[in-house]
Amino acid sequence: MKQLYRSYDESTKIFKKFQENYPNNFKMESIGKTWEKRDINLITISKDIKSADSKPALFYTGTIHAREWVGHELGIEFATYILENLENDPTLQAYLEKTTIYMVPCANPDGYEYSKNHFSFWRKNRRVNVDGSYGVDLNRNFPIGYVKSTATTSNVYGGPEPFSEPETRALRDFVECHENITIALDYHSQGNVFFPAHDFRHEDTIDTTDMNTLCANMAEEIRKISGREYGIHQGKPPTKLISGSGREFYHSLGIISSVVEVGTRNISDYMDDMNENLREHIPALLAAVKEVPNYSKNNSVSRVNSFEITEIGSHHVNLKWDYEINKDVFFEIYRSRQDKNFCNNSNLIVRTSNLEFSDINLTSNKDYYYNIRVVNKKTFEKSPFYPQIKLRTDCDYDEFSRTYYANSKNTGYVAENLNDNSKHFGVNSLFVGIDENKGISYAIVTVDVKSLGEGALIKDASFNLYPINRVSTTIEKYGEWNTGIVNQETMGDITNYDDVENMEILQYVGRPTQSHQLTQGIWRAWNFSGMECKVLQEVADKYEKIVFRIEGPTELIIGRTKQMMQWDIGYGKFGYGLTYRPRLELTYTIKPTITELYPKAVYTVSKESVISDEITAGYDEQGRKIYSTFEFNLSSLPPYNSTMITKAYFELNSTKIYIKDDIRFHLEFVDENIEQNYEDITNREIIQNVGYDVSATELKNNQTQHFPFDSFSEITLNEKLKAKADISFVLKPTSSKKANKSKSVSWEVKNRSLSPKLIIEHIPKRRFPLEKVKNVKLTQENGKIKISWDNPDDSDFVGVKVIKNAYREPYSTHDGQKLYSGVDDYTFDDFGAKDINKYYAVFAYDEVPNYSEPVIIEYKGK
Ligand SMILES: [Zn+2]
């Protein structure tokens, strides 16, 4: 079906026709000639072609690599779509009111024709090199990071010098004299991934968030059409930086710039796949068109001056930012649960004119991402984004958190037809799926969870893998990737294919990842359900390690050679580094200790008398209330600093004398300074009601009544523990009847098992973080920036975490790039650019972990 792809001549004809039919909206021009004397077509689409160059513009390029036909084809389809719909589509009209579209659908016409007619795998242009070989990789012929080489037959030969080729010179000349270009998208195949400009360095730039968000908004449009997920990968450490690409050249001119890798093969089957790819990329392109004016140099709204976290709790976050106050603007805050997510109406959480925002009702121990932009109320222009905030909410009062990484020695993959499977452990990548030559491949990931300790109760878990590459997953919408917990009794040798294939899976985890969800640059998570957490718990308790098997499709479609996914192991020469190891994230609590407290004193307080050691509540003969009071002392509980009360309830047992009337009883947590007299009791200060009230009828059915504490009462109880204070409760009758006389219920006191009790569940947990580290220093060693410090001298010290951020002082242990976590007292910033200012933050932590305040040190770029 490849013949459905149009030739270069055909697109030229189509564009000529468009020019005739839509003279006000469409123009084609030649911006240069190729080695084989073909015109390099540039088309302009505008609401008014005469004023096109005065509006901010999108610059589209495609098929700079000859065999990547999608760029040319999508260019034709996109132009067709706009021209055919412009008249009837108000959204399109509004976009084109503000934006011009320039497209070079095929930046390598000679190569494209050669690929179409002679050798479909051809990538370069058709220059005749000095040695008689053919071709320069045009996308290595731009100057940023250009690599000089004499390997002319290489597929990535970059030419004798930057801009040695007429095709790249044509692009350069056009872009350099069109300063209205704000976004450049270069279309390639394959991978279902966006590669935003990396600025030829391993650190985020001020516009990294802008580029990631642009790509994510485009990706979301694609997902809406087909369910297909696109990755976003800026090519950060330690992957190879792409030298001499057009993307980096455009970015060097201040243009928001990305490569778009479409589909799963260089040349997809048109009817089956390309069709859908074209369809889904049209709304994606329109999402980019929508953003074009916001990146214009004439945009009146600039990004905020700062964007910071001021407080993090287990369920809330406070943010602030700085901007010159101006009544014409407001701020938009977007919140996401995953990195590199879109910013659209579905995750816009507030529009505000304030310079701060408090986000509440968050989930504890979870990652959150915040983005901010400024909007002009009158023109609706939007500013660029400030660099994204990343954070993790604190653990809840009863929670602990652990991140366990794969144990390298016992993590690897086995392939059916290879006999050196043991060599795949501890290095490089996990290959999972099927390949004509290798056969079926499974990955094994082993995680040691010994430090979890006895009594840990797993509440929540996720297993995470970092996708390196999906290039070998070449079949569209075919197969799924599952993760299962292995029964270690049946495991055998994890480096032996047959043993791995036959091992029993106790439980698959979460939902499978479908082939069209595979991509790169964005972590893939398998989230455990409550039931799956139970299995995880049992295995952790029994073996102190978890073994996962990851499996993909086990059969191929006829004529196709592979459907194989590559996940990172983090270790080894080709791994992306320790940050990218497979990991298991756990939130857990500890089996509580239950302490029953008996009252120090109980009284029945009526108008007439105060009687000790008796509990009666109700109404006296005059209809006045009779109260009972209880006093407890908390000093038998363990110390406040290392104890958390996780649950509390009050137990009361009624005697077996019941009344029929509509009387209810409720229990109040009251200020402990209450005096035992009628006056004081009736004017008591109530802290909170405990549990729900019980009716006289309920007492008949249930002699024992439990009054559970709500969260506020639990917090108060925790505070009282700090002071080792006495605490008091009042049992009070209520009724909807006007007159109740001589109606009361008595409750057991003397019989110990039926006596009133305060039942408190508590766990050992440090409440406060450790001391900060001391003497944080920056030095340089072996050409790298070295950060060193003194660890706190504390037996609860577990480690330090070092975070780097170029745009703000990291307040959260997640707000930036993690450089180190462990017990050492130094680390290196392996990929740190020495010419850029940045902050390093060092946090000390205990086993909860509670993180100390960071010690922040600023690096001044030279
Ligand atoms: Zn390419």
Side-chain angles (χ1 to χ4, degrees):
M1 294 297 169
K2 282 175 190 169
Q3 61 268 35
L4 289 176
Y5 286 91
R6 281 158 287 197
S7 70
Y8 196 69
D9 278 350
E10 280 172 297
S11 71
T12 305
K13 275 197 200 108
I14 291 168
F15 296 148
K16 275 194 181 134
K17 198 93 199 142
F18 284 164
Q19 195 159 241
E20 281 167 36
N21 295 348
Y22 305 95
N24 292 328
N25 303 124
F26 189 91
K27 187 173 85 178
M28 178 173 74
E29 64 197 291
S30 169
I31 54 169
K33 279 203 188 292
T34 64
W35 290 105
E36 293 174 357
K37 303 289 174 241
R38 287 187 178 84
D39 279 317
I40 300 166
N41 292 334
L42 179 129
I43 61 176
T44 303
I45 305 173
S46 170
K47 199 144 185 230
D48 168 32
I49 211 77
K50 290 184 290 298
S51 62
D53 291 347
S54 66
K55 288 177 184 165
L58 174 77
F59 184 56
Y60 173 109
T61 47
T63 314
I64 196 166
H65 287 145
R67 66 191 177 207
E68 299 172 15
W69 298 1
V70 62
H72 179 242
E73 203 60 32
L74 177 60
I76 302 167
E77 287 298 310
F78 188 51
T80 308
Y81 177 87
I82 294 179
L83 295 173
E84 287 180 354
N85 290 281
L86 186 57
E87 199 182 351
N88 297 321
D89 183 340
T91 308
L92 215 47
Q93 288 167 6
Y95 288 173
L96 286 203
E97 194 64 57
K98 294 179 175 173
T99 302
T100 292
I101 299 164
Y102 300 125
M103 303 175 89
V104 181
C106 181
N108 181 7
D110 295 351
Y112 177 59
E113 281 303 308
Y114 187 75
S115 167
K116 264 201 118 247
N117 300 319
H118 301 286
F119 177 62
S120 63
F121 213 58
W122 190 251
R123 170 178 164 108
K124 302 189 281 184
N125 73 351
R126 293 299 293 165
R127 165 199 269 266
V128 183
N129 293 317
V130 281
D131 56 3
S133 68
Y134 278 89
V136 166
D137 181 346
L138 295 175
N139 209 32
R140 299 292 182 278
N141 188 240
F142 291 84
I144 310 298
Y146 170 83
V147 174
K148 199 168 175 69
S149 151
T150 52
T152 52
T153 56
S154 159
N155 245 340
V156 290
Y157 171 56
E161 66 200 28
F163 293 126
S164 58
E165 305 309 292
E167 295 89 347
T168 51
R169 283 198 300 272
L171 296 173
R172 173 196 65 192
D173 294 346
F174 182 81
V175 172
E176 280 184 345
C177 67
H178 287 81
E179 288 186 10
N180 55 326
I181 294 171
T182 68
I183 295 177
L185 297 171
D186 189 24
Y187 278 78
H188 292 244
S189 56
Q190 40 138 320
N192 290 358
V193 62
F194 291 89
F195 290 125
H198 52 42
D199 197 43
F200 224 75
R201 62 172 82 240
H202 288 297
E203 271 176 6
D204 285 358
T205 49
I206 187 77
D207 55 9
T208 291
T209 300
D210 297 295
M211 293 192 283
N212 283 343
T213 307
L214 171 74
C215 296
N217 285 347
M218 295 176 71
E220 178 59 8
E221 295 300 325
I222 294 168
R223 197 197 58 77
K224 279 201 296 208
I225 296 284
S226 63
R228 190 172 280 111
E229 294 184 22
Y230 265 64
I232 300 166
H233 191 207
Q234 217 186 359
K236 290 302 171 187
T239 49
K240 238 171 57 203
L241 297 173
I242 301 297
S243 51
S245 73
R247 172 192 68 190
E248 295 305 321
F249 173 68
Y250 308 139
H251 187 247
S252 74
L253 301 176
I255 295 169
I256 295 293
S257 171
S258 183
V259 156
V260 190
E261 296 279 0
V262 178
T264 57
R265 313 177 88 184
N266 285 144
I267 304 161
S268 293
D269 182 286
Y270 202 103
M271 294 287 273
D272 283 350
D273 308 323
M274 184 48 54
N275 234 325
E276 189 172 72
N277 292 152
L278 295 174
R279 178 164 173 241
E280 68 196 0
H281 273 279
I282 287 173
L285 271 163
L286 290 174
V289 169
K290 186 182 176 188
E291 281 294 330
V292 162
N294 298 327
Y295 292 96
S296 159
K297 284 151 200 107
N298 304 321
N299 184 351
S300 66
V301 277
S302 56
R303 58 164 65 84
V304 294
N305 304 318
S306 69
F307 185 34
E308 284 173 50
I309 308 165
T310 53
E311 194 176 292
I312 301 176
S314 48
H315 298 287
H316 78 279
V317 168
N318 296 343
L319 305 172
K320 70 163 189 184
W321 50 93
D322 179 41
Y323 201 72
E324 204 179 316
I325 293 296
N326 172 350
K327 63 177 175 26
D328 290 340
V329 301
F330 62 86
F331 306 96
E332 290 181 341
I333 308 277
Y334 298 86
R335 177 182 71 200
S336 299
R337 294 293 303 275
Q338 72 170 34
D339 198 7
K340 303 177 199 171
N341 201 15
F342 54 79
C343 291
N344 67 24
N345 275 336
S346 66
N347 66 335
L348 171 63
I349 51 165
V350 69
R351 291 192 174 102
T352 176
S353 307
N354 298 333
L355 294 174
E356 57 188 16
F357 174 64
S358 183
D359 197 12
I360 57 170
N361 302 123
L362 304 178
T363 305
S364 58
N365 196 32
K366 291 285 177 202
D367 295 340
Y368 287 90
Y369 302 83
Y370 290 92
N371 283 310
I372 187 168
R373 74 194 311 188
V374 188
V375 184
N376 184 310
K377 286 178 194 170
K378 290 178 182 150
T379 63
F380 295 106
E381 282 171 300
K382 296 187 178 193
S383 74
F385 289 94
Y386 196 82
Q388 171 178 268
I389 281 180
K390 306 176 192 177
L391 59 89
R392 179 170 290 185
T393 47
D394 291 347
C395 286
D396 215 338
Y397 65 99
D398 63 341
E399 288 174 350
F400 298 77
S401 166
R402 282 278 185 287
T403 300
Y404 288 109
Y405 291 100
N407 159 331
S408 71
K409 208 172 101 229
N410 298 312
T411 296
Y413 78 96
V414 292
E416 192 178 7
N417 301 335
L418 300 180
N419 49 22
D420 56 351
N421 279 324
S422 63
K423 290 194 184 129
H424 303 149
F425 281 71
V427 291
N428 194 1
S429 297
L430 304 172
F431 289 93
V432 182
I434 179 155
D435 174 294
E436 189 174 52
N437 301 315
K438 281 184 178 175
I440 299 166
S441 292
Y442 295 100
I444 291 288
V445 175
T446 305
V447 181
D448 296 315
V449 293
K450 196 166 181 190
S451 69
L452 196 54
E454 257 176 75
L457 300 170
I458 297 168
K459 292 172 75 177
D460 189 51
S462 70
F463 178 71
N464 301 270
L465 288 177
Y466 192 74
I468 273 204
N469 208 325
R470 59 154 299 150
V471 149
S472 301
T473 323
T474 61
I475 311 170
E476 284 282 357
K477 297 196 174 170
Y478 179 73
E480 59 182 36
W481 277 256
N482 282 292
T483 289
I485 301 171
V486 172
N487 179 352
Q488 293 173 42
E489 300 296 337
T490 66
M491 188 164 71
D493 175 4
I494 56 170
T495 67
N496 177 296
Y497 176 81
D498 290 331
D499 284 1
V500 171
E501 186 176 42
N502 293 322
M503 55 181 50
E504 187 201 347
I505 299 299
L506 287 172
Q507 179 68 56
Y508 286 96
V509 177
R511 297 184 65 81
T513 294
Q514 306 292 334
S515 71
H516 59 274
Q517 297 176 299
L518 291 172
T519 178
Q520 66 184 90
I522 297 176
W523 283 88
R524 191 83 210 162
W526 284 263
N527 296 308
F528 289 65
S529 69
M531 195 257 289
E532 290 156 7
C533 283
K534 280 209 179 94
V535 177
L536 184 69
Q537 174 90 58
E538 281 162 24
V539 175
D541 288 346
K542 198 161 169 191
Y543 302 100
E544 298 184 332
K545 69 175 180 185
I546 314 287
V547 179
F548 293 101
R549 186 179 79 184
I550 300 118
E551 58 193 54
T554 53
E555 278 174 49
L556 276 171
I557 286 173
I558 290 170
R560 304 300 287 269
T561 58
K562 53 198 168 186
Q563 186 75 338
M564 184 80 87
M565 183 62 197
Q566 186 183 358
W567 309 95
D568 200 359
I569 180 172
Y571 300 97
K573 199 163 66 166
F574 300 104
Y576 281 9
L578 297 183
T579 313
Y580 300 99
R581 286 169 287 176
R583 62 172 209 270
L584 177 66
E585 298 267 10
L586 297 181
T587 304
Y588 68 95
T589 186
I590 291 179
K591 199 161 179 262
T593 304
I594 299 173
T595 301
E596 295 186 343
L597 299 180
Y598 293 89
K600 230 174 79 175
V602 299
Y603 297 97
T604 292
V605 181
S606 62
K607 182 70 183 168
E608 304 301 330
S609 60
V610 175
I611 306 165
S612 68
D613 290 337
E614 188 186 308
I615 310 170
T616 299
Y619 295 88
D620 67 12
E621 56 277 15
Q622 313 257 341
R624 292 171 303 199
K625 285 180 178 173
I626 306 168
Y627 301 94
S628 286
T629 69
F630 310 83
E631 274 175 38
F632 293 88
N633 182 272
L634 298 174
S635 61
S636 62
L637 291 171
Y640 173 79
N641 281 358
S642 56
T643 305
M644 216 48 104
I645 295 174
T646 54
K647 199 192 256 177
Y649 48 98
F650 197 101
E651 184 184 307
L652 270 180
N653 291 279
S654 56
T655 58
K656 291 175 182 167
I657 308 149
Y658 302 116
I659 47 170
K660 278 193 187 135
D661 290 86
D662 177 24
I663 295 179
R664 302 176 79 86
F665 299 93
H666 77 237
L667 187 73
E668 296 165 356
F669 192 171
V670 296
D671 189 76
E672 73 269 18
N673 299 317
I674 194 162
E675 291 291 330
Q676 303 302 325
N677 60 60
Y678 201 70
E679 177 80 353
D680 268 34
I681 298 286
T682 45
N683 295 313
R684 69 205 175 276
E685 191 84 32
I686 303 167
I687 297 169
Q688 183 87 335
N689 289 334
V690 179
Y692 292 108
D693 52 3
V694 293
S695 68
T697 325
E698 281 165 328
L699 289 176
K700 202 174 294 174
N701 302 331
N702 236 330
Q703 186 190 9
T704 304
Q705 294 295 331
H706 285 133
F707 298 83
F709 282 50
D710 66 5
S711 354
F712 181 77
S713 302
E714 269 169 17
I715 292 168
T716 313
L717 198 58
N718 271 296
E719 287 311 300
K720 298 288 181 190
L721 173 64
K722 186 179 185 178
K724 294 264 174 197
D726 285 351
I727 53 172
S728 297
F729 300 88
V730 166
L731 184 68
K732 178 189 111 172
T734 61
S735 177
S736 59
K737 277 194 190 164
K738 271 212 174 116
N740 283 290
K741 285 182 184 169
S742 305
K743 303 257 167 59
S744 65
V745 172
S746 292
W747 315 73
E748 295 280 0
V749 184
K750 301 271 155 43
N751 179 340
R752 192 165 169 89
S753 71
L754 299 175
S755 155
K757 292 180 220 34
L758 181 58
I759 299 164
I760 293 181
E761 297 189 3
H762 51 93
I763 57 170
K765 182 183 170 186
R766 268 187 69 106
R767 284 177 186 266
F768 302 106
L770 302 164
E771 294 278 289
K772 294 191 269 192
V773 303
K774 295 201 173 89
N775 294 323
V776 178
K777 280 199 236 48
L778 291 180
T779 48
Q780 292 209 15
E781 213 173 287
N782 302 324
K784 288 178 186 170
I785 300 166
K786 179 182 182 182
I787 308 104
S788 59
W789 58 87
D790 295 341
N791 287 325
D793 183 16
D794 190 316
S795 59
D796 285 345
F797 171 77
V798 171
V800 297
K801 198 162 170 184
V802 182
I803 298 291
K804 167 170 83 165
N805 191 315
Y807 298 100
R808 64 183 150 259
E809 300 189 1
Y811 181 93
S812 161
T813 52
H814 284 68
D815 193 21
Q817 190 188 338
K818 178 178 134 190
L819 293 182
Y820 177 73
S821 180
V823 296
D824 289 348
D825 54 8
Y826 71 93
T827 192
F828 288 96
D829 183 3
D830 287 339
F831 293 95
K834 286 193 227 38
D835 57 339
I836 284 180
N837 293 359
K838 61 198 109 199
Y839 300 98
Y840 295 97
V842 186
F843 300 82
Y845 61 90
D846 59 21
E847 51 105 41
V848 171
N850 295 299
Y851 289 97
S852 73
E853 294 219 335
V855 177
I856 292 167
I857 189 161
E858 188 179 2
Y859 173 84
K860 289 279 187 199
K862 293 171 188 87

